[in-house]
Amino acid sequence: MGAKMVQLNSLSPQLGTQNPKLCTCQSLPFHQSFRPTAFNPKIYTLSLTKTSAAAVSKLTVKCRQSEFYEQQRFNSSRSPSTDTSFAPRSPSASTGVGELPPRVFVGHSIYKGKAALTVEPRAPEFAALDSGAFKLAREGFVLLQFAPAAGVRQYDWSRKQVFSLSVTEIGTLISLGARDSCEFFHDPNKGKSEEGKIRKVLKVEPLPDGSGHFFNLSVQNKLLNLDESIYIPITRAEFTVLISAFNYILPYLLGWHAFTNSIKPDDPNRVNNANPRYGGDYEWSR
């Protein structure tokens, strides 16, 4: 591949540091520093200042592989461990151009004659600490959306009712047997001045013939003068698909994938840099 001459007006902080073999720069008598742009703090520009005077010059770079960023984007999008939907983000993180994969939204829907049910995972939330590390601020959940039928194979999603399953409630569903049932109660305004004005009850009960389960969501909303019940039968095969998906996504809802991705076994300073609150709290040290 022939070398191409390009002018670098903006540069990722990782260019040339993590990939020193990628680019070769002409020797210039300038001091270089990265500065965040005024429009986007995640985009860094390379500022060149002459040693003797405050002069700005352009930097000429020879790139050995012009499609580097496209390759990075392709590799990142194929790696499930870099899914930004379930990874902690830092507002001050400086990521190279093209290294972030596109955000992905997924869901699974079940359509029946009287209602439709859509199941979607929601990622956990992380809070940045002063040390630069991240801490789980809120566990993820699975969002259930029930929509009543409006006709043959038509559903009125403007009248949908939602119910968020916590990780513990997901565990209850996973442990259900063919003849078992469970019931969950939610009050979205619990602890607030409008507590008790909205009542949601989700019942999961076995079908009479043992071929599956009924999902029945009842919503009483005194604020809107609404009292509605939407139920949908789930076959054994459909329920098995849901349980399999719940088993897979559960560690991600807990945020444990972010922890495992942060482990670097080859880092000799990993123990020394650990959070002092947790790093030395070992059972055998007591």
Side-chain angles (χ1 to χ4, degrees):
M1 181 182 298
K4 296 183 180 179
M5 299 293 293
V6 296
Q7 289 185 345
L8 215 63
N9 295 327
S10 63
L11 190 66
S12 163
Q14 298 179 356
L15 183 59
T17 58
Q18 296 184 0
N19 301 277
K21 296 182 180 180
L22 178 64
C23 300
T24 57
C25 303
Q26 294 182 356
S27 177
L28 298 175
F30 297 99
H31 171 69
Q32 61 184 21
S33 62
F34 291 101
R35 301 178 182 275
T37 62
F39 300 99
N40 191 339
K42 294 184 179 181
I43 303 300
Y44 281 71
T45 59
L46 182 63
S47 176
L48 300 178
T49 306
K50 200 168 183 178
T51 304
S52 58
V56 178
S57 176
K58 293 182 179 180
L59 175 65
T60 303
V61 179
K62 287 184 178 181
C63 292
R64 299 179 181 177
Q65 187 176 356
S66 60
E67 67 272 22
F68 168 74
Y69 289 130
E70 290 297 328
Q71 184 67 27
Q72 286 292 96
R73 182 183 296 110
F74 176 77
N75 292 338
S76 298
S77 63
R78 290 174 60 90
S79 175
S81 63
T82 57
D83 182 10
T84 57
S85 299
F86 285 87
R89 297 187 182 90
S90 171
S92 60
S94 55
T95 308
V97 178
E99 292 184 8
L100 284 179
R103 188 163 185 175
V104 177
F105 297 94
V106 296
H108 177 66
S109 298
I110 300 174
Y111 301 98
K112 294 298 173 71
K114 294 186 177 180
L117 170 63
T118 296
V119 182
E120 299 178 355
R122 290 292 187 266
E125 297 177 1
F126 297 85
L129 303 178
D130 295 337
S131 63
F134 291 89
K135 181 180 179 181
L136 182 69
R138 182 185 179 186
E139 293 179 344
F141 57 93
V142 170
L143 183 66
L144 304 182
Q145 301 183 64
F146 295 80
V152 179
R153 296 185 179 181
Q154 296 181 351
Y155 303 91
D156 188 356
W157 292 101
S158 64
R159 293 173 52 202
K160 72 177 181 181
Q161 299 294 338
V162 299
F163 194 92
S164 300
L165 289 174
S166 67
V167 292
T168 303
E169 292 168 339
I170 293 173
T172 301
L173 288 177
I174 291 175
S175 62
L176 280 184
R179 295 291 182 178
D180 295 334
S181 61
C182 62
E183 179 176 328
F184 306 122
F185 168 76
H186 284 185
D187 183 348
N189 296 320
K190 186 176 182 180
K192 302 178 182 179
S193 58
E194 296 180 343
E195 180 177 352
K197 294 185 178 180
I198 299 179
R199 175 185 174 90
K200 295 184 178 182
V201 178
L202 175 63
K203 293 182 180 181
V204 180
E205 300 173 318
L207 294 173
D209 58 359
S211 61
H213 286 81
F214 265 121
F215 277 59
N216 187 358
L217 177 61
S218 300
V219 179
Q220 294 179 348
N221 191 330
K222 297 180 181 179
L223 300 175
L224 302 176
N225 194 23
L226 174 69
D227 190 351
E228 187 170 11
S229 180
I230 304 177
Y231 68 92
I232 178 172
I234 305 296
T235 66
R236 184 181 304 170
E238 292 166 339
F239 191 71
T240 300
V241 171
L242 294 179
I243 297 306
S244 179
F246 291 163
N247 275 301
Y248 175 82
I249 201 65
L250 194 57
Y252 292 85
L253 301 180
L254 293 170
W256 285 32
H257 67 293
F259 169 75
T260 56
N261 289 340
S262 68
I263 297 177
K264 300 179 181 179
D266 56 341
D267 186 0
N269 298 322
R270 182 170 60 91
V271 177
N272 296 332
N273 294 334
N275 190 321
R277 180 180 176 185
Y278 304 103
D281 193 8
Y282 302 116
E283 178 184 358
W284 52 86
S285 65
R286 294 181 177 271

